[in-house]
Amino acid sequence: FSFIANITDSSIVELCDSVGPQLEKLLLRKCENITDHSLFAIARCTNLRTLDLSHLGQGISDTGMLFICRGCGPALRLLSISHNPRLTDDTFVAVGMYCRHLEQLCARNLPLVSDAGFEAMCRGVGSTVVGLDIIDCCSLTKDSVVRAMREYCTHIQLIDPESHSLRYVICRVF
């Protein structure tokens, strides 16, 4: 459903009610009418392995993400939450707590996520994560990110083109 502007909460709720248990992949990038109401329904899709919630604007919050992480977090392998300006450390803490088998996280441009939230997420998913994208998370500091990744994320390496900021940091498989 990515890039379909007229997708609404009612469409997503109906989809989740009808095929939720069988749903393994849901892509909602740039579906800007989606809100936490949809996330509450998506959370019931307990076999969801891939979820893209990028660029949803102001529609989703930490509360909706907590439901996602509690509901489908155990099955999630790939989660994309980039460009959602209301998400904070609480989302990263929930990812670390409930998404214990996560392999890839795309979390670009989340200005409210701090070093503490990043470390909590790494502590929880570090043993399984093989890819992290945290470009333009302007509240993160390079030293804290590098320390958390070295301590918890043993399957990935830091790619940093001689930058003193995190503007261009992407992590990937060895």
Side-chain angles (χ1 to χ4, degrees), residues 40-54:
F40 301 147
I42 295 167
R44 296 190 308 265
C45 302
T46 56
N47 290 314
L48 204 57
R49 296 177 58 84
T50 301
L51 180 59
D52 187 347
L53 299 172
S54 298

Side-chain angles (χ1 to χ4, degrees), residues 102-158:
L102 194 67
E103 296 171 1
Q104 296 180 38
L105 175 67
C106 186
R108 288 183 178 208
N109 196 12
L110 299 180
L112 302 178
V113 174
S114 74
D115 294 337
F118 182 79
E119 182 174 346
M121 184 270 304
C122 287
R123 196 177 318 116
V125 302
S127 65
T128 60
V129 72
V130 294
L132 289 171
D133 183 342
I134 53 169
I135 290 176
D136 288 335
C137 289
C138 58
S139 295
L140 296 177
T141 62
K142 183 177 179 178
D143 291 342
S144 291
V145 165
V146 169
R147 184 188 51 71
M149 289 185 55
R150 284 191 177 140
E151 186 171 345
Y152 302 110
C153 302
T154 56
H155 299 292
I156 56 179
Q157 67 182 5
L158 187 65

